[in-house]
Amino acid sequence: MNPTYEKYKELLSRLADVQYAQALLNWDQETYMPKAGADQRAQQISTLSGIAHNLSVSPELEEVLLKLENDNTLGEKEKRNIAQSLKNFRLSKKYTQVFVEEMSKAISEAFQSWQQAKEANDFSLYAPALKKLVALKREECRIIGFKGHPYDAMLDQYEPEASTADLTVLFADVRTQLVDFVKQIAACPQNEDSFMFKHYPADKQWHFGLDMLRQMGYDFDAGRQDLSSHPFTTNFGPKDVRVTTRIAEDNFNEMTWSCIHEGGHALYEQGLPVSEYGLPSGEYVSLGIHESQSRLWENNVARNLPYWKCNLPALKGLFPENLAGVTPEGFYKAINKVQPSLIRTNADELTYHFHVLIRFEIEKALIEGSIEVNDLPLIWNAKYKEYLGLDVPSDALGVLQDIHWSHGSFGYFPTYSLGSFYAAQFYRKAQKEIPDLEAEIERGNMHPLLEWLRTHIHSKGKFYTAENLCINITGEKLNFKYFMEYARVKYGALYPLQTESITR
Amino acid sequence: MNPTYEKYKELLSRLADVQYAQALLNWDQETYMPKAGADQRAQQISTLSGIAHNLSVSPELEEVLLKLENDNTLGEKEKRNIAQSLKNFRLSKKYTQVFVEEMSKAISEAFQSWQQAKEANDFSLYAPALKKLVALKREECRIIGFKGHPYDAMLDQYEPEASTADLTVLFADVRTQLVDFVKQIAACPQNEDSFMFKHYPADKQWHFGLDMLRQMGYDFDAGRQDLSSHPFTTNFGPKDVRVTTRIAEDNFNEMTWSCIHEGGHALYEQGLPVSEYGLPSGEYVSLGIHESQSRLWENNVARNLPYWKCNLPALKGLFPENLAGVTPEGFYKAINKVQPSLIRTNADELTYHFHVLIRFEIEKALIEGSIEVNDLPLIWNAKYKEYLGLDVPSDALGVLQDIHWSHGSFGYFPTYSLGSFYAAQFYRKAQKEIPDLEAEIERGNMHPLLEWLRTHIHSKGKFYTAENLCINITGEKLNFKYFMEYARVKYGALYPLQTESITR
């Protein structure tokens, strides 16, 4: 036992305790808090956030980290923890109290004016606050520092060691390959999915959602599902990982995909090593890898035929009238309808990436200063026309649709696409390594897949970078071709496309 | 504006934020937390508790308090706040880190061994840990300091400025007056209440409980009800005050009285002044006064005939078969059955005070050192025989029944009786000051009573001591005669007693 390392663990565990308490305040705010509690709750969250910040830059922690930085007796895992904690510590130290408060104020103003602007469908109400926020974000990039592009500093917060240059190449692939492919689909007759929009009573949907989570291997002794207006996953350690969902009685898609998606996130958190509480080795790798877990379950597993061959009978038992005559194949077609649309969160799994691409291009340009806030609606609308062929009828359905910028989250959007692309590459590998994977899924046995994810991803914590994790598992770094291959095979069978030869 | 006083407010508000966050961790633990989360939750609570302690003894707070102690420009409310905060500060400073940790360990051991002992029905499993804890409690009395009896130091934590001497006189009255009175009742034929134990489905009970809370004036925009195994009230500021209840389908009493009781506590918290967040002026006076609010609603309002003249029809609408032929008078008799019993929490409103009396006598003797832990079962059983005429068949149904000692809570029990006695005195005054109070209750109009409580008690925060508050409202300090008078009038009508002349 190394007493300095033990002290380090104790300090990080204490920091995690405060952060998890803050996470519970947030969870409660979104689920059960009575509405009059909002003001005091915001203040309580802010106080805990300040305490967590103080703990993350404490002289006590600094002393311990500097001692351990040069401790050659540490094992590999311990060395990696110290390196990552030092990176976090040095990053946190760069922020002055004045800057943090200025940013916090700017975010609060931007969030309020974004809400008003969205309500009033008028971007100009949001522009002044967003301008101030973007200016601060540009400053933040300088504070953090970067090697290549200033946007690298933003990306690093969500996707450590991702670079703007790499993402630019990746999204160029998305644009060139996916735009054409979706155009081919759009030229085909559309799949029938009207039965998804019949009346599905909430309580039956709720219980079906719980069954899907159980089948995936979600542990209800270490988690629970509740309702909230926006579905999310949160956790207070790996033994208490909670998901939320929302239910629309006139759209069966709503609950289904949010439930499976959040379930995928939750399985990752439940699989992180309990003994590493509060340490980097007990944390997820990056948001992109986190998203790979939700997307893998949502798209590769559940938007697939074997999953519904298994689960459609039970669903038909619950909603016999709605689904009379619907076959697994018909259901599979309905849930994989591809159609350009205005709102990112409602997009199908292909056109989704155009939404991200547009945001990536805009964020990058905003941060480098080559475009300005006032031009956003024009630029937004032009890109939606170019990539999705759509006319944006209003700011509310366009540039004002997402909460992210008003929260100061620049650099977050790309992780959604990264998640899908990693998922395709991981799932492809899982198919090769797990005997009869899809036959097991068709039997409702998700265990082999979950075990595979546990072994290769969940149990590793943050020991590897996203890139190295991907290389370890698949033999190469992220490669967009796996997603395109998945898309071509799947949608080539779902729509009568004039495609090149398909190999699998 | 006094900048030092503003700083004081800011520091206390920050402390309250942490304490309320801790309260939410506790609430969640009792309501929604998945079971595997227990260990990490305990640690998170302990970390926040440590942070709160550090904030409560910070040099920054000390400096501000010492400056304000001699600030003659402060108003009365501000002066009182500073005096109370200084008292808290000086008390907290008396505890060394070593003592706090020793106590925390002793409590954790006592709690575990209490659970085992209760399960095994064997006090000897609990005795060693309790001995250690009692020794520490005796030491704590010396650390805190006291003027008269060492037990004063314990009482002061729950009932500031209460004295062992005063309580000894009070409980002597309880013994001499109540013991005889209950003996007279016990000699009478018993009231019929078997309809309370029919099958009452949980969901209907739940909704009836919500209606009772609404009728009392509980604000669901600033609170909510949930289920837990032990009912409690908690709050995270006066705009988020939550109650819990439990439901027994074979005993309608369970939900009903816990719901109204916790509702009474919650109305007090919802009525505290919002602007005084975190300050003594925004806090309840004492546990005795808090309990007076729950008991007043539970006993004086709801164990009364007008309340059920109003609410029985709705209840009969929900449970027509269970309550066929039951009149308000019959219902009133059933819910006021007096009968000596072994378990405090199931006791009626008269014999309840013998349970408290016994605990008071034992605690006082334990703390002063005139009895020892090993003798507790014998002493306990002898007192149950003497005051309640009951043979205690087992430790589980006797000395092991309450959680309090294992939590280190000595001095807490007396506040339960104080609550009932204050309630009787307050209610008597309310009857005089509110025109037709019981006629309003019979109409389901609780508003005049709630307004009276808001004006005279809730809105005052901790500005007065319990004694002064009582004098302000009723013209005299706590006087047991009001409770006895209430008991004599009420039970004289419910049972065919050979009483002295009854005056009202």
Side-chain angles (χ1 to χ4, degrees), chain A residues 201-218 220 224-225 227 243-247 252 254-263 307-308 311 315 318-319:
Chain A
D203 59 334
K204 285 189 187 176
Q205 284 201 56
W206 172 259
H207 286 101
F208 187 72
L210 296 180
D211 284 342
M212 289 195 296
L213 288 170
R214 232 171 258 123
Q215 186 188 54
M216 289 164 72
Y218 177 81
F220 277 94
R224 51 180 291 115
Q225 181 173 264
L227 292 172
V243 292
T244 70
T245 191
R246 70 177 160 203
I247 299 177
F252 186 67
E254 192 73 58
M255 179 285 297
T256 304
W257 307 114
S258 77
C259 188
I260 300 169
H261 182 96
E262 301 308 330
Y307 185 85
W308 292 104
N311 288 320
L315 188 63
L318 285 172
F319 307 104

Side-chain angles (χ1 to χ4, degrees), chain A residues 147-280:
Chain A
K147 283 186 203 148
H149 192 282
Y151 188 60
D152 289 353
M154 298 285 98
L155 288 172
D156 195 63
Q157 299 176 298
Y158 306 110
E159 196 63 27
E161 304 184 39
S163 77
T164 310
D166 285 350
L167 286 183
T168 303
V169 172
L170 177 71
F171 279 110
D173 283 348
V174 171
R175 203 171 45 217
T176 52
Q177 298 182 47
L178 213 50
V179 169
D180 273 353
F181 187 62
V182 167
K183 273 188 190 149
Q184 289 179 48
I185 294 176
C188 298
Q190 198 44 276
N191 293 336
E192 153 68 11
D193 67 346
S194 61
F195 52 82
M196 298 297 279
F197 304 95
K198 294 188 172 171
H199 181 73
Y200 288 83
D203 59 334
K204 285 189 187 176
Q205 284 201 56
W206 172 259
H207 286 101
F208 187 72
L210 296 180
D211 284 342
M212 289 195 296
L213 288 170
R214 232 171 258 123
Q215 186 188 54
M216 289 164 72
Y218 177 81
D219 179 2
F220 277 94
D221 283 345
R224 51 180 291 115
Q225 181 173 264
D226 298 276
L227 292 172
S228 69
S229 56
H230 298 279
F232 64 96
T233 302
T234 188
N235 72 305
F236 323 119
K239 300 304 241 178
D240 189 351
V241 181
R242 305 189 188 181
V243 292
T244 70
T245 191
R246 70 177 160 203
I247 299 177
E249 294 201 316
D250 58 356
N251 182 355
F252 186 67
N253 289 296
E254 192 73 58
M255 179 285 297
T256 304
W257 307 114
S258 77
C259 188
I260 300 169
H261 182 96
E262 301 308 330
H265 280 304
L267 288 175
Y268 188 6
E269 293 288 343
Q270 286 188 337
L272 289 169
V274 181
S275 59
E276 311 297 303
Y277 179 92
L279 303 174

Side-chain angles (χ1 to χ4, degrees), chain A residues 13-14 16-18 20-21 24-25 27-28 31-37 40-41 43-44 47-48 50-51 54-55 219-224 226 236-242 274 277, chain B residues 13-14 16-18 20-21 24-25 27-28 31-37 40-41 43-44 47-48 50-51 54-55 219-224 226 236-242 274 277:
Chain A
S13 166
R14 201 174 148 77
D17 289 342
V18 177
Y20 285 138
L24 182 71
L25 293 173
W27 172 83
D28 181 71
T31 51
Y32 292 116
M33 187 186 76
K35 63 181 181 186
Q40 283 161 349
R41 178 58 53 87
Q43 183 193 307
Q44 290 156 357
T47 293
L48 285 205
I51 290 172
N54 288 342
L55 290 174
D219 179 2
F220 277 94
D221 283 345
R224 51 180 291 115
D226 298 276
F236 323 119
K239 300 304 241 178
D240 189 351
V241 181
R242 305 189 188 181
V274 181
Y277 179 92
Chain B
S13 167
R14 202 175 148 77
D17 288 342
V18 177
Y20 286 138
L24 182 71
L25 293 172
W27 172 85
D28 181 72
T31 51
Y32 293 117
M33 187 186 75
K35 64 182 180 186
Q40 283 161 350
R41 178 58 52 88
Q43 183 194 307
Q44 290 155 359
T47 293
L48 285 205
I51 290 172
N54 288 342
L55 291 174
D219 178 2
F220 278 95
D221 283 345
R224 49 179 293 115
D226 298 275
F236 323 118
K239 299 304 242 178
D240 189 351
V241 180
R242 306 188 188 182
V274 181
Y277 180 91

Side-chain angles (χ1 to χ4, degrees), chain A residues 424-435:
Chain A
Q425 194 163 336
F426 292 158
Y427 190 75
R428 176 64 182 274
K429 188 68 181 179
Q431 282 181 302
K432 294 209 163 146
E433 294 193 349
I434 302 169

Side-chain angles (χ1 to χ4, degrees), chain B residues 5 99 178 265 269 293 310 325 379 405 435 446 477:
Chain B
Y5 193 80
F99 184 80
L178 214 49
H265 280 303
E269 293 287 344
Q293 300 306 290
C310 173
I379 295 169
W405 294 340
M446 310 297 169
K477 51 188 215 171

Side-chain angles (χ1 to χ4, degrees), chain B residues 402-433:
Chain B
D402 294 310
I403 199 175
H404 298 59
W405 294 340
S406 79
H407 271 184
S409 299
F410 290 80
Y412 195 115
F413 286 119
T415 68
Y416 293 133
S417 285
L418 289 175
S420 292
F421 305 157
Y422 276 124
Q425 195 163 336
F426 292 158
Y427 190 74
R428 176 61 182 274
K429 188 69 181 177
Q431 282 181 303
K432 295 209 165 147
E433 295 193 350

